[in-house]
Amino acid sequence: RFEIKMQYKQLRVRNLKLSDAGIYTCEFGSHKVHTSLHIFKLMISLDGHFLQNEVPELILMQNSSSPLPDLRITLLDSNNNRVTPELQNKSRQKYIVNLRKLEAMDSGTWVCQVRSDSPLIDQNIPFAVKVLGFQNPDLERKYATVDSTVILSWHLNSQKIKWKEGFTGQLNWKQQESANPHELLDFNITAQGQLHVTKKTSNFLFEIPERKPESTIEVKLPKVHFNHSGQYQCQLEYQGRHAQSKIELVVMKVSAKPVGPLSRGANMTLTCQVSGPLPPSAYLRWERVNGTNMDIKNSKQNEVKLEVNISAAGLWSCHLIEDSDRKISVHYNVEEAAAWTNYVIIGASVGGSLLVFALGCLCIISVTNWQRRRQRAKRMAQARQYLLENKTCQCQQ
């Protein structure tokens, strides 16, 4: 590891070790020159390969012939932002610090700045950090309407950081937090660094789009059902460690009771419902397009179902509003029944009333006639009995 270049009076030492620290003396005749070599060794846990939300451990060691100085350590991340580490252990020979939880955007070259006043030290030590993870938020919420098409996407940064070491993953879906998960697909990275996706056998109707950005996991629901809602969790696994990202799918539907045109003077109930709990800042709203403030109704906090009783036809809209932003809307057109339909309904009502009245009259007449016939039969029976009794009496005489 040692090489002397006589023409330049140089000593070159390759692959420095902590034990190489000390005082080096160059002798030329009666002249002696002393040089002190101070060596730093920087080590990062897991060889600098992390999953998102993991906390790296950084170890800085030093060695010299003189008493070891008290160092000041400053860390700069890949975006040149100063990072305040948590000092776990400190001695003159070894400094152990824990960094914050990493995100996918933290990948890149970090710098450890080492400072000391006595002896004067001003050293920048670069080190590489690779964070494999999702560029999605930790918890993403996506809204869809019944029978619409929705694409759920998870964006990995494996292509960006040129991560070619083997990792695997899978995409699971469960309708509720406590429900059993259903595995929809699994994926892995090939030797060429390409992402390979395999669809699992499932009764769940979804597609895997052929054309999608690199390092992207996608599922397409061509016709969303109300029970397609729930949590879709994409999970990475690398060397026994895991990272995951969730997308919460909330589905909205509307219905009317009774279904059909709205007759004059009649009422109809419109119902707007979402499939899962809403955040505190979200609510439902019914309103009639080009209507008045009287045609607006908002849901209360934590309500997932909103009903409104209407008597006016027109285009009604249900909105899901979160933080004053309309996330999704569903329209329902309430048609007004035609005039002849109203007349038919009125006529049918009047005719029905007359029919009921006529049937009532017939019943009364029938009952009256039946009672009269019964009384007449009773009187005739009494008369026959009387005659028989009188005839018997005459024969006895």
Side-chain angles (χ1 to χ4, degrees):
R1 295 188 299 120
F2 296 86
E3 179 185 358
I4 298 178
K5 293 187 176 181
M6 296 299 295
Q7 66 271 30
Y8 300 110
K9 308 296 188 293
Q10 289 181 346
L11 172 66
R12 176 174 294 182
V13 185
R14 295 186 176 89
N15 299 324
L16 285 174
K17 300 178 181 180
L18 286 174
S19 58
D20 293 330
I23 298 177
Y24 291 76
T25 303
C26 179
E27 296 183 1
F28 184 75
S30 60
H31 298 280
K32 293 184 180 181
V33 178
H34 304 286
T35 300
S36 178
L37 179 61
H38 194 121
I39 297 179
F40 296 101
K41 182 179 182 181
L42 183 67
M43 297 179 293
I44 185 170
S45 58
L46 301 175
D47 295 328
H49 289 73
F50 302 96
L51 298 179
Q52 65 184 86
N53 294 326
E54 290 186 332
V55 178
E57 182 182 71
L58 203 65
I59 300 177
L60 179 66
M61 302 181 69
Q62 64 171 335
N63 191 16
S64 67
S65 60
S66 58
L68 296 174
D70 190 10
L71 302 177
R72 300 190 305 273
I73 298 176
T74 303
L75 293 175
L76 301 178
D77 64 12
S78 58
N79 298 313
N80 207 32
N81 297 320
R82 184 170 179 173
V83 178
T84 302
E86 177 185 347
L87 188 64
Q88 183 179 358
N89 189 11
K90 175 183 176 181
S91 65
R92 289 296 179 95
Q93 188 177 8
K94 181 186 291 188
Y95 293 76
I96 302 177
V97 296
N98 287 332
L99 307 184
R100 56 172 168 78
K101 287 185 178 181
L102 295 176
E103 301 177 1
M105 63 184 66
D106 290 327
S107 295
T109 301
W110 290 47
V111 175
C112 178
Q113 297 179 341
V114 182
R115 303 286 186 269
S116 175
D117 296 328
S118 179
L120 184 61
I121 298 175
D122 187 359
Q123 187 75 26
N124 291 337
I125 306 176
F127 60 97
V129 174
K130 288 189 176 183
V131 186
L132 178 63
F134 303 92
Q135 297 173 343
N136 302 54
D138 287 339
L139 177 59
E140 185 178 351
R141 186 173 285 104
K142 197 173 185 67
Y143 300 103
T145 60
V146 170
D147 294 335
S148 66
T149 299
V150 65
I151 296 179
L152 306 178
S153 300
W154 288 264
H155 305 284
L156 289 169
N157 64 337
S158 59
Q159 192 73 20
K160 181 180 179 181
I161 62 177
K162 297 180 180 179
W163 190 296
K164 294 185 179 181
E165 300 183 45
F167 70 86
T168 60
Q170 60 183 15
L171 176 62
N172 299 323
W173 166 72
K174 55 183 177 180
Q175 201 161 11
Q176 297 176 352
E177 185 69 30
S178 58
N180 294 326
H182 302 275
E183 186 176 353
L184 303 183
L185 56 88
D186 56 15
F187 55 91
N188 66 298
I189 194 167
T190 64
Q192 293 75 26
Q194 300 297 321
L195 200 63
H196 178 69
V197 181
T198 304
K199 185 176 180 180
K200 306 296 288 187
T201 302
S202 173
N203 295 328
F204 190 84
L205 299 177
F206 71 98
E207 301 174 2
I208 301 177
E210 294 183 0
R211 295 184 179 181
K212 55 181 177 294
E214 289 183 324
S215 300
T216 300
I217 305 298
E218 283 188 351
V219 293
K220 178 181 178 181
L221 308 180
K223 193 171 184 180
V224 177
H225 297 168
F226 195 69
N227 58 359
H228 284 168
S229 62
Q231 291 184 357
Y232 293 77
Q233 177 175 286
C234 194
Q235 179 175 287
L236 289 174
E237 181 178 355
Y238 177 69
Q239 294 183 348
R241 292 133 52 202
H242 298 83
Q244 56 272 336
S245 175
K246 294 180 181 178
I247 295 180
E248 181 82 20
L249 179 62
V250 180
V251 183
M252 175 191 285
K253 67 176 181 179
V254 297
S255 60
K257 187 178 181 180
V259 180
L262 181 62
S263 303
R264 186 178 302 173
N267 291 327
M268 178 183 290
T269 301
L270 299 179
T271 302
C272 181
Q273 185 175 358
V274 292
S275 58
L278 297 176
S281 60
Y283 62 93
L284 299 174
R285 169 181 289 179
W286 268 117
E287 66 178 7
R288 186 163 67 100
V289 178
N290 298 327
T292 64
N293 291 334
M294 300 296 293
D295 298 324
I296 297 177
K297 184 178 180 181
N298 295 331
S299 66
K300 298 179 182 179
Q301 190 174 9
N302 299 325
E303 280 188 341
V304 296
K305 185 178 181 180
L306 179 61
E307 294 182 347
V308 60
N309 294 320
I310 65 170
S311 58
L315 184 62
W316 289 79
S317 298
C318 181
H319 309 290
L320 195 156
I321 302 174
E322 182 179 359
D323 297 326
S324 302
D325 183 24
R326 291 185 181 180
K327 295 295 184 179
I328 195 171
S329 299
V330 180
H331 306 291
Y332 193 93
N333 188 26
V334 179
E335 298 181 355
E336 185 177 3
W340 65 270
T341 305
N342 292 327
Y343 295 146
V344 168
I345 295 174
I346 295 173
S349 301
V350 174
S353 300
L354 292 176
L355 180 60
V356 171
F357 178 75
L359 291 175
C361 292
L362 288 175
C363 289
I364 293 172
I365 294 172
S366 299
V367 170
T368 303
N369 290 335
W370 178 77
Q371 290 178 346
R372 287 177 180 176
R373 287 195 299 270
R374 185 176 179 183
Q375 291 177 357
R376 186 182 300 114
K378 186 177 181 181
R379 287 196 299 270
M380 290 179 66
Q382 291 176 352
R384 284 196 298 271
Q385 185 67 26
Y386 176 76
L387 291 176
L388 289 173
E389 290 177 355
N390 289 340
K391 185 179 295 183
T392 305
C393 292
Q394 292 175 1
C395 293
Q396 290 177 352
Q397 294 176 355

